[in-house]
Amino acid sequence: MLQQDSILQALVLLREEQLVAYVRSSEPIEPAQLRSQLSQQLPAYMLPHFFVQLEQFPLTPNGKLDRLALPLPDREHESKKSFEAPRNEIERQLAAIWADVLGLQQVDIHTSFFEIGGDSILCLLIVARAEQIGLTFTPKQLFQYQTIAELATILSLPASNEEANSLKAVHHTIPLVPHQLRFFAQQPSAIQSPARFLMLEVSNERLERELLEQAIIALAQRHSILQTALSFDAQTNSWQQREYEMAFPVSDLLHTSDLSAIAREEREAAIFAEMAAAQSDLSNLSGPLWRMLHFRMGEHQPERLLIIVNDLLADHASMQILRADLEQLIRGEQLQPLNAASAFKAWAQYLQDYAVSSDIEKEVPYWLQASRGNIPLLPVDFHADHALNILEHVQNISHTFHKDDTKTLLHEVCTNFHASISEILLTALLQACACWLGKRKLLVDVESSAREINSEKLEPGHSVGQFAIMYPLLLDLEMVSTHAGLMPALRAIKEQIRGMPQRGLGYEALRYLRQHDDIPARLAALPQPEIKFSFTGQDQALARAASSFLHPIYDITIPTCNPHNHRAHLLEIDCQLVEDCLAISWTYCSQFHKRETVEMLMNRYVDTLVSFMKLHPDEDASSYTKSDFSGANLNQAKIDKVMAKLRARNKRA
């Protein structure tokens, strides 16, 4: 910010969970213009939400900066000054969404979204809410057109004729995506894949079957992936995925159970039995790939709904999308048709094309790099046959951080150290495992989502589908001193993650979709990760979008699908935001590891994350790295030098 010509002094603080920039300038500042200039050099999560111009920075009697005397930004005032109301229907609809999401009474059409509390996460929610009413734009466009007046110029009202609301009969093949191909490669003879469960408690409402049947039909018409069936083609010795118009009757998709006559203490067991039966019915060969279970719990007891979808069709975000859509349908609200109704088909075809494109050729050397060839195997407590690494022998250890600690980690730590939460979690993972491994190097399969990739060719939006991607990531701290502390480790891991091409998108396209050369075989011949990592938190905004009418129930026991299904990894670390708390789960196979070993690793992992929370940014002024200034021609030495000067200047202030 100090590189801007008119800025004389600047300070950015986290105030009430949002970044506030305090500036002293030689001329009046224009927040939108300043934010636009900063966006050329800074990632979205580092851009201030508010700019407060001061004539002088407040000082204590000792001449130090008095941070407590810095004023809080007035969001409501920002939204009201020089107020101009919406002038047409598109502006009115956008203003209503912005006001609801940002918690404001009204929104001026010429005020920047980011000046009144918007950020990159709320941006995703705005896009999703707008798409529900037929106004389609991307997060990238919202960053480009930051006011309602500007954004409205590139939008048009959705069509209202019958053609826009109809769905053509379909019966065609959809290419399998790598997530599906990976499963079938691991389980060539399996007829059952895992399912995703979302249990919902219904508030003060008795649901009639006819209403739920209508909701199921509407969901299937809205999300074409739900009309998909899988079958095995004996002639080609491969799995096929075909889409139909209502592939299965509604009676096969909805089951209502009246549990009122069952003793309360036995109802949970009855629900589990129903869940296990539904899981078993989600067969890849003979039945539908999603179901809805409706439980009547008795008089004065809230009813429950269970949405269960085959993992081959839906990712984690899809379940929250289905929840939000289902709530609207139950309330009798009309769902607008999605422009991205065929987003999953487009995603599948995009990967097919990308696998043979000239762009992916640039990625091949990265994924075949020799450094991946010298990776030690994970230590084991028992030397068992890998055929025993199956779901039957799986055990789990979990830890959940308090809301306050989660908030510190997600907001303060990420902001103070200019890193994403995944970068911090992965750094902590290697730090926790280093002594156990005997090396500060770890090859990890990272499961991510194409929903996070900002691409004009890929816009999953509010669509249901399996958009997961996985790629091997080599975490290496061998060149960082063991006594250097957390910050140098984080710096190194940040650069390794950000140095990966296309955020890992190309790996599975090369591994599973490439057919004209030996690249897939060469990738398969390299050492494969024995540990998997995932972080799920990007759909929290979607989860909050639904009101309190349908309450998710997280504390339920999930039935195992086929206990003989083979596992690809010895350890799986899953990090997830659950009701604003970071929940961490370590899953392992009892045939290879003792519980005490995994508990030790979990404890070290948690301790490392706590150490990050306690780390003060002033302890190391060099937490910035080259990738934080991708638009500038700066090397690490220059960055460290500039940051050291700024640190010294702040101390003098």
Side-chain angles (χ1 to χ4, degrees), residues 529-644:
E530 295 181 295
I531 186 167
K532 189 191 89 168
F533 167 87
S534 67
F535 169 70
T536 306
Q538 296 79 6
D539 62 344
Q540 281 294 100
L542 285 173
R544 294 192 182 99
S547 72
S548 57
F549 177 69
L550 296 178
H551 301 275
I553 302 175
Y554 297 104
D555 187 20
I556 60 172
T557 303
I558 302 297
T560 303
C561 64
N562 188 340
H564 301 293
N565 274 10
H566 185 263
R567 299 175 67 240
H569 305 90
L570 291 180
L571 293 175
E572 298 175 16
I573 293 90
D574 297 303
C575 303
Q576 182 180 348
L577 284 181
V578 179
E579 295 184 310
D580 296 320
C581 294
L582 177 63
I584 301 174
S585 171
W586 284 59
T587 303
Y588 66 100
C589 177
S590 61
Q591 302 297 302
F592 291 86
H593 291 111
K594 298 177 182 178
R595 187 173 186 85
E596 294 84 355
T597 299
V598 183
E599 284 179 339
M600 174 267 296
L601 293 171
M602 168 68 93
N603 291 336
R604 289 180 179 175
Y605 190 47
V606 171
D607 289 344
T608 305
L609 291 174
V610 171
S611 296
F612 266 115
M613 297 179 203
K614 295 178 179 178
L615 195 62
H616 195 277
D618 287 344
E619 293 178 17
D620 192 322
S622 303
S623 52
Y624 286 100
T625 57
K626 288 174 62 179
S627 58
D628 291 320
F629 305 96
S630 56
N633 184 23
L634 296 173
N635 58 34
Q636 191 61 52
K638 279 186 177 180
I639 293 171
D640 292 345
K641 186 176 181 180
V642 170
M643 294 305 297

Side-chain angles (χ1 to χ4, degrees), residues 282-500:
L282 293 187
S283 167
N284 295 334
L285 286 178
S286 60
L289 299 179
W290 75 294
R291 290 282 180 87
M292 187 184 297
L293 304 186
H294 175 211
F295 299 102
R296 298 193 188 278
M297 305 298 287
E299 192 175 1
H300 306 305
Q301 296 295 314
E303 297 184 355
R304 294 187 188 181
L305 286 175
L306 174 71
I307 303 173
I308 173 173
V309 187
N310 193 301
D311 178 72
L312 296 177
L313 299 192
D315 56 13
H316 185 83
S318 295
M319 305 304 287
Q320 297 297 346
I321 291 171
L322 287 173
R323 172 197 169 196
D325 288 352
L326 178 62
E327 177 158 335
Q328 279 191 264
L329 291 167
I330 291 176
R331 289 186 178 279
E333 300 173 6
Q334 185 70 31
L335 292 178
Q336 295 291 332
L338 293 175
N339 287 350
S342 59
F344 181 74
K345 287 182 286 186
W347 160 239
Q349 189 57 56
Y350 171 80
L351 288 175
Q352 294 282 334
D353 297 339
Y354 189 57
V356 295
S357 68
S358 58
D359 290 338
I360 206 169
E361 298 297 333
K362 305 170 187 176
E363 299 188 31
V364 173
Y366 176 88
W367 298 116
L368 289 174
Q369 58 186 303
S371 58
R372 274 190 58 197
N374 184 27
I375 304 298
L377 297 174
L378 290 184
V380 295
D381 298 317
F382 311 108
H383 293 278
D385 189 323
H386 272 267
L388 294 176
N389 188 19
I390 57 178
L391 293 181
E392 182 181 5
H393 303 307
V394 156
Q395 295 191 25
N396 178 274
I397 295 174
S398 61
H399 176 88
T400 301
F401 282 98
H402 188 271
K403 275 187 179 181
D404 292 340
D405 290 334
T406 301
K407 179 180 175 181
T408 297
L409 196 60
L410 290 176
H411 298 290
E412 295 180 21
V413 175
C414 290
T415 300
N416 288 340
F417 303 115
H418 327 296
S420 70
I421 183 61
S422 291
E423 290 164 349
I424 291 168
L425 291 171
L426 284 166
T427 302
L429 177 61
L430 179 52
Q431 293 283 81
C433 293
C435 291
W436 179 59
L437 295 169
K439 282 193 172 184
R440 304 181 76 209
K441 182 185 293 188
L442 181 63
L443 185 63
V444 183
D445 259 340
V446 176
E447 187 173 62
S448 182
S449 173
R451 296 178 188 271
E452 303 170 32
I453 298 175
N454 187 12
S455 170
E456 294 180 355
K457 298 179 181 179
L458 178 62
E459 287 293 341
H462 199 71
S463 297
V464 170
Q466 183 48 271
F467 295 94
I469 58 176
M470 187 181 289
Y471 51 85
L473 176 65
L474 180 59
L475 305 174
D476 189 353
L477 293 177
E478 293 287 299
M479 301 303 292
V480 178
S481 170
T482 56
H483 305 294
L486 289 177
M487 194 50 56
L490 177 59
R491 283 173 48 168
I493 298 301
K494 269 176 58 178
E495 293 306 288
Q496 290 165 22
I497 293 174
R498 298 180 187 185
M500 176 176 51

Side-chain angles (χ1 to χ4, degrees), residues 225-236:
I225 187 66
L226 298 179
Q227 304 180 65
T228 297
L230 290 165
S231 61
F232 187 76
D233 189 333
Q235 291 185 338
T236 61

Side-chain angles (χ1 to χ4, degrees), residues 25-65:
S25 176
S26 59
E27 58 188 46
I29 63 170
E30 291 291 339
Q33 181 181 353
L34 185 53
R35 184 180 290 103
S36 176
Q37 292 169 344
L38 293 174
S39 68
Q40 303 302 313
Q41 295 179 292
L42 297 174
Y45 69 87
M46 292 177 63
L47 294 175
H49 306 90
F50 300 101
F51 291 85
V52 178
Q53 186 168 2
L54 302 172
E55 292 186 6
Q56 294 292 336
F57 276 70
L59 302 178
T60 66
N62 295 328
K64 301 290 186 179
L65 177 64

